[in-house]
Amino acid sequence: MLRFALRRVLVALSVAVTVSVASFLLLHLSGDLATAIAGPDATGAQIEAIRTQYGLDRPLLAQFAAWAWKALHLDFGQSFYFREQVTDLIAARLPVTLILGVVALAVALFVAIPLGVLAAVRRDTWIDRAALFVSVLGQAMPTFWFGLALIIVFSVNLRWLPVSGNATWKHFVLPAVALGYYAMPAVMRLTRNGMLEVLSSDFVRTARAKGLPPRKILVRHALRNAVIPVIALAAVQFGFMLGGSIVVEAVFSLQGLGQLAWESIARNDFPVVQAIVLVLAMIYIALTLAADLLNALLDPRLRQ
Amino acid sequence: MLRRTRPAPRLARTAPRGRGAAALLLAGTAFLAGTAFLAGAAGPALAGKANDTLVYASDSEPENVSPYHNSAREGVILARNAWDTLLYRDPATGTYQPMLATAWTWADPVTLDLTIREGVVFHNGDPLTPEDVAFTFNYVLTPEARTVTKQNVDWMKSTEVLGPHTVRIHLKAPFPAALEYLAGPTPIFPAAYFKKVGLDGFAKAPVGTGPYRIVSVESGRGVKLERFEKYWSGSPIGRPKIGKLEFRVIPDADSRMAELVTGGIDWIWRVPSDQADQLRAAPGITVLSAETMRVGFLQFDVGGRAMEKSPLRDVRVRRAISYAIDRKAMVDNLVRGGARVMNVLCFSGQFGCVEEGAPRYAYDPAKAKALLKEAGYPDGFEIDLAAYRERDYAEAVIGYLRAVGIRARLNYLRYAAFRDALRGGKVSIGFQTWGSFSVNDVSAFTGVYFRGGDEDLTRDPAVIAALQAGDTASDPGERKAKYAEALSRIAGEAYALPMFSYPSNYAFTQDLNFTAQPDEVPRFYAASWK
């Protein structure tokens, strides 16, 4: 297990280094930075002054080393647009996106896993078809449309929940449901497939032959095995949701990282874009690593 | 893809039926309903008459709350509510009245002396002095200040304190529109406080002398303001009637509408015509459509920088385009709400926006085709059209062009990218709009697009000379004559096609008394609850 974990950590670290190089190069491939920082009214002398001030006149490798060293200390420089420290901007916005992502994932799993189990157990019945219908619907509906539909029903008509903003926990309910529904179908179908496979396997047959109660077989034997790929998928889905929350954040006016990324791209605010790419990538890598390790713990065969 | 696997019949038979199945299937719905139930009613809304808080929302936020460091309309609104200017222009009569300056005299065409009012205090308690005025203007002129709205101040050379109550502004050249600028986009900062906290500190905790003081600025969320209780008496804008203002950023138009309908916010603007129609039918909502100073126009790559052998270098082609577009029909069917067709390149209410002598291009597709044929394009040509807002307007223009054989491709861009492309000479036809920073003088329009600056695609020395003369002449009659000369040359050469003024649809709670002005500056300090 230790060797497996070590190997996985090394792979994760190399991916992280690659991503950081890529996100640094991304900044430098997008045109003359000094001109971008100086703005449209700057003179040639001002642009040169900025070039020196920001160290843009040094060799690329030296610049990367300086940037990476700072990034390691969580210093991503200053936003061109807000003229604020990027770290402060991200620190202010990240919690919103993380809360949204975690709650959405919880919603997705809470609905998808029981639904997937049920669909497998009641295979080819109306329940199975209804579950599949719900999942297809989730995949077919654009998130923004579903978000607006939720607003119309729960905010405009029923007046139960607020429309936008992130002042209280109530503000997260509708966005989390909208985002969760986006992640739900894949989890549900994977659970269903996994359950079908496990339920027809030899050890379940043995368990049945031993006369174990069906509920015990279902939960302790079948679900535990079927859920292994779901853990990996959930980690991946969570990563997707962090990046893909842009639409939901816009519809519900949640000022999270997705919204910041979108605005920063539109404003050519490179240090912010670069830092967000890096932060999201790191979270994604960490999640994948955690999922791998957890899977290996649950299923010893995966350690080979 | 679902994989077919062998069924597990025995287990299926023994699995919970009926009750369990229904419970599990309904789990999602139950969760939803449960959280919604626990949430109960969404609590007391913060907006509205009951809380004496006017919550207004827009789709974007200014990059910096400091009025000299953003060019966003949302920033203009904050500036007008939290900062005073030296002069005040009465929106009803157009006359200039004393504000932070009690009197002003022209010592000569490039020297303006102003007497600064006594007894005015900033939101932090500091008294207003001539030093504050001199500091503000001298600071925003320095390159280190990185002023974003440079065109609003760069007519000034420097400002000096003349005496305990007097300042003198030295101009670079005669500039009769100076008073208009001093009554609009040139608010006054507190010198001592600004020097202490710097721009970064000022952006987080700004201080002015305006009717509202800014209580908090939260990037990405909005700005909270409350009535400044020590606001100087006798101000022409008066004491605000509403106690608190809150600006919220809600990027999505549908969400803004839903917030308004549910009472989460009180006021929205720039409501698209179709949404405005829906809101008119909603109970408790007032919809107001008013003309603004914003004018839409097509800018042509006359110099041929964007396209080798550009057809737009030929005046006949530019005229053909001008004849090909039915601007009246666009105003009647698409733009609506108090918009008008503009015939010269400015807003018709601005000083110096003279139509006389300028040719008009009435809709005439046959003439457009004939002109294209004459110019050597009997089958039309292909070209790019860049736009950054009101995609439907741009698409209508493309439709009209197609009808005379010009096949235009739409490049729909974010404003920053659009402006970069335009300035970089990469735009053949640009669908521009300009609101003149609400400055009621034609220099604020033509100066940007035809005086040889970055966004001048024409660089016609005759137009530049006429505009320079108009911008600097001190005699109003002479100014008008020079602008008429420039505007009629622009129209005659079809350097650009003025389209129409933009309306703005405002929607707000019926509890609110609100009046809109063409300068697109919502005056919340003048609003009140019914």
Side-chain angles (χ1 to χ4, degrees):
Chain A
M1 181 66 196
L2 196 68
R3 269 192 62 182
F4 170 82
L6 212 63
R7 214 167 51 225
R8 277 287 187 271
V9 170
L10 276 178
V11 170
L13 280 178
S14 61
V15 174
V17 171
T18 314
V19 170
S20 63
V21 172
S23 77
F24 174 80
L25 286 179
L26 170 97
L27 179 66
H28 287 262
L29 286 176
S30 51
D32 183 23
L33 278 183
T35 316
I37 301 169
D41 299 317
T43 62
Q46 283 165 356
I47 294 175
E48 282 315 308
I50 284 171
R51 208 184 297 285
T52 323
Q53 185 195 336
Y54 284 73
L56 296 168
D57 48 353
R58 292 185 297 161
L60 205 59
L61 203 64
Q63 285 185 48
F64 175 71
W67 175 80
W69 181 248
K70 279 185 173 175
L72 271 177
H73 296 83
L74 292 179
D75 176 3
F76 297 103
Q78 215 187 33
S79 151
F80 297 167
Y81 184 77
F82 291 110
R83 315 250 175 228
E84 264 184 69
Q85 284 301 313
V86 175
T87 318
D88 294 345
L89 278 174
I90 292 182
R93 308 274 185 117
L94 186 61
V96 174
T97 302
L98 283 182
I99 293 172
L100 177 64
V102 169
V103 182
L105 189 66
V107 171
L109 295 179
F110 190 84
V111 178
I113 294 179
L115 210 59
V117 171
L118 198 65
V121 172
R122 296 276 181 220
R123 188 185 172 181
D124 291 335
T125 64
W126 68 270
I127 295 172
D128 187 18
R129 281 190 289 275
L132 279 175
F133 176 74
V134 170
S135 105
V136 168
L137 205 65
Q139 255 167 354
M141 265 194 307
T143 320
F144 76 90
W145 187 88
F146 184 54
L148 288 173
L150 287 176
I151 288 178
I152 290 169
V153 174
F154 290 97
S155 303
V156 177
N157 291 332
L158 295 173
R159 306 273 167 123
W160 286 354
L161 292 160
V163 178
S164 66
N166 45 334
T168 67
W169 65 270
K170 287 173 202 164
H171 290 84
F172 284 91
V173 175
L174 293 185
V177 170
L179 191 60
Y181 198 24
Y182 159 79
M184 196 275 279
V187 178
M188 180 259 160
R189 280 158 54 156
L190 198 66
T191 310
R192 180 184 180 274
N193 280 5
M195 283 300 284
L196 286 177
E197 205 161 320
V198 177
L199 287 177
S200 60
S201 65
D202 293 342
F203 77 90
V204 169
R205 198 173 301 129
T206 314
R208 281 197 206 107
K210 281 198 313 192
L212 281 180
R215 204 169 288 230
K216 212 168 180 178
I217 295 174
L218 195 66
V219 177
R220 193 172 295 170
H221 294 272
L223 189 59
R224 184 182 156 169
N225 284 290
V227 96
I228 289 173
V230 174
I231 291 170
L233 180 72
V236 175
Q237 289 285 42
F238 185 70
F240 274 132
M241 280 199 281
L242 289 185
S245 62
I246 291 175
V247 174
V248 170
E249 287 184 10
V251 169
F252 293 95
S253 183
L254 285 171
Q255 298 301 327
L257 216 53
Q259 187 74 22
L260 182 66
W262 171 249
E263 287 165 357
S264 302
I265 290 166
R267 291 169 185 146
N268 294 342
D269 200 345
F270 303 116
V272 180
V273 179
Q274 193 178 32
I276 292 177
V277 168
L278 199 62
V279 167
L280 288 182
M282 291 307 157
I283 294 177
Y284 196 75
I285 290 167
L287 283 173
T288 319
L289 179 67
D292 278 355
L293 296 179
L294 192 62
N295 273 339
L297 267 179
L298 287 172
D299 187 350
R301 285 174 300 177
L302 290 174
R303 290 174 216 164
Q304 263 101 59
Chain B
M1 282 281 283
L2 288 175
R3 264 177 55 194
R4 285 262 158 201
T5 43
R6 278 189 295 129
R10 277 178 59 196
L11 196 115
R13 271 202 303 276
T14 49
R17 272 181 187 277
R19 191 186 51 177
L24 276 173
L25 189 63
L26 290 171
T29 330
F31 176 78
L32 249 179
T35 42
F37 180 75
L38 282 174
L46 291 170
K49 189 178 174 178
N51 295 291
D52 196 19
T53 305
L54 169 58
V55 182
Y56 67 99
S58 193
D59 62 347
S60 51
E61 63 181 323
E63 63 260 46
N64 190 316
V65 176
S66 161
Y68 293 101
H69 295 88
N70 74 77
S71 58
R73 193 43 59 159
E74 289 74 11
V76 176
I77 303 177
L78 289 170
R80 293 294 175 105
N81 284 290
W83 282 272
D84 284 328
T85 45
L86 292 173
L87 273 55
Y88 172 74
R89 181 168 58 81
D90 187 325
T93 61
T95 55
Y96 299 107
Q97 295 174 13
M99 204 172 190
L100 292 182
T102 52
W104 54 92
T105 45
W106 286 101
D108 61 59
V110 289
T111 314
L112 179 64
D113 292 340
L114 301 110
T115 310
I116 304 304
R117 187 179 295 276
E118 288 175 78
V120 175
V121 288
F122 283 100
H123 300 149
N124 64 347
D126 291 355
L128 170 82
T129 63
E131 279 78 15
D132 296 308
V133 178
F135 166 77
T136 304
F137 293 157
N138 288 332
Y139 165 72
V140 295
L141 287 169
T142 59
E144 298 79 54
R146 296 217 284 249
T147 305
V148 174
T149 54
K150 249 198 171 73
Q151 64 273 37
N152 291 333
V153 290
D154 69 357
W155 49 274
M156 291 188 249
K157 194 163 78 186
S158 64
T159 304
E160 61 174 321
V161 178
L162 276 194
H165 307 299
T166 340
V167 288
R168 168 168 283 183
I169 300 176
H170 297 281
L171 278 67
K172 285 179 180 157
F175 187 58
L179 298 184
E180 175 65 27
Y181 283 85
L182 291 180
T186 49
I188 304 301
F189 284 180
Y193 176 73
F194 193 94
K195 281 181 199 159
K196 196 175 106 196
V197 298
L199 178 58
D200 288 347
F202 194 73
K204 289 188 182 98
V207 165
T209 65
Y212 285 98
R213 67 180 193 92
I214 294 177
V215 182
S216 72
V217 180
E218 276 185 272
S219 148
R221 280 211 203 169
V223 180
K224 287 186 179 146
L225 305 96
E226 64 182 34
R227 187 168 46 213
F228 180 40
E229 297 303 340
K230 289 185 190 154
Y231 189 55
W232 54 285
S233 58
S235 162
I237 66 177
R239 191 172 181 272
K241 293 171 192 74
I242 294 174
K244 287 177 199 152
L245 295 183
E246 190 181 331
F247 163 55
R248 279 189 57 195
V249 186
I250 305 177
D252 186 79
D254 293 309
S255 307
R256 281 199 299 281
M257 190 164 99
E259 279 282 21
L260 179 70
V261 171
T262 55
I265 54 177
D266 302 302
W267 184 98
I268 57 175
W269 69 340
R270 295 174 177 166
V271 182
S273 311
D274 53 337
Q275 274 193 0
D277 290 343
Q278 285 175 31
L279 283 170
R280 276 192 185 92
I285 306 289
T286 305
V287 177
L288 183 70
S289 299
E291 188 185 30
T292 72
M293 282 172 75
R294 183 168 298 277
V295 173
F297 59 101
L298 296 184
Q299 222 180 339
F300 301 126
D301 174 32
V302 178
R305 285 198 297 164
M307 190 178 168
E308 216 183 320
K309 293 183 189 153
S310 170
L312 297 168
R313 295 165 68 136
D314 190 324
V315 65
R316 290 168 296 190
V317 172
R318 302 195 297 266
R319 285 182 186 143
I321 292 175
S322 306
Y323 282 119
I325 298 162
D326 192 349
R327 294 171 291 161
K328 176 83 172 57
M330 283 182 72
V331 165
D332 291 344
N333 303 310
L334 203 57
V335 186
R336 302 190 290 169
R340 285 179 291 164
V341 170
M342 294 286 136
N343 291 304
V344 283
L345 209 77
C346 40
F347 176 66
S348 61
Q350 284 175 316
F351 176 87
C353 189
V354 188
E355 284 194 26
E356 288 82 52
R360 292 188 177 197
Y361 298 93
Y363 177 54
D364 192 343
K367 202 165 183 175
K369 279 187 190 163
L371 276 167
L372 282 177
K373 198 172 169 188
E374 200 185 311
Y377 300 97
D379 302 319
F381 52 86
E382 286 192 5
I383 199 147
D384 286 318
L385 185 145
Y388 71 97
R389 50 183 282 175
E390 284 87 26
R391 194 185 177 112
D392 46 341
Y393 299 178
E395 281 168 353
V397 166
I398 285 174
Y400 282 119
L401 294 181
R402 187 165 289 269
V404 296
I406 300 170
R407 296 171 298 281
R409 290 174 298 258
L410 178 61
N411 269 339
Y412 193 77
L413 306 163
R414 300 282 295 196
Y415 180 63
F418 175 89
R419 196 180 59 175
D420 281 355
L422 192 96
R423 289 182 166 194
K426 291 176 187 135
V427 169
S428 290
I429 303 177
F431 192 128
Q432 274 273 26
T433 82
W434 187 241
S436 298
F437 276 102
S438 301
V439 174
N440 206 20
D441 188 281
V442 77
S443 60
F445 203 119
T446 47
V448 180
Y449 298 101
F450 289 98
R451 261 192 72 173
D454 288 335
E455 287 178 51
D456 184 354
L457 304 187
T458 316
R459 316 261 161 114
D460 178 342
V463 174
I464 293 173
L467 289 178
Q468 257 162 3
D471 286 357
T472 52
S474 42
D475 172 46
E478 193 187 337
R479 290 192 75 203
K480 276 191 179 172
K482 283 294 168 193
Y483 288 129
E485 186 186 321
L487 290 169
S488 76
R489 181 162 170 87
I490 292 167
E493 293 293 315
Y495 285 145
L497 175 67
M499 304 274 287
F500 36 74
S501 57
Y502 271 55
S504 187
N505 293 318
Y506 304 85
F508 44 91
T509 165
Q510 267 175 6
D511 288 340
L512 192 70
N513 284 311
F514 172 80
T515 318
Q517 307 290 346
D519 62 7
E520 250 184 310
V521 180
R523 288 160 169 81
F524 293 128
Y525 52 74
S528 61
W529 300 114
K530 279 184 187 162

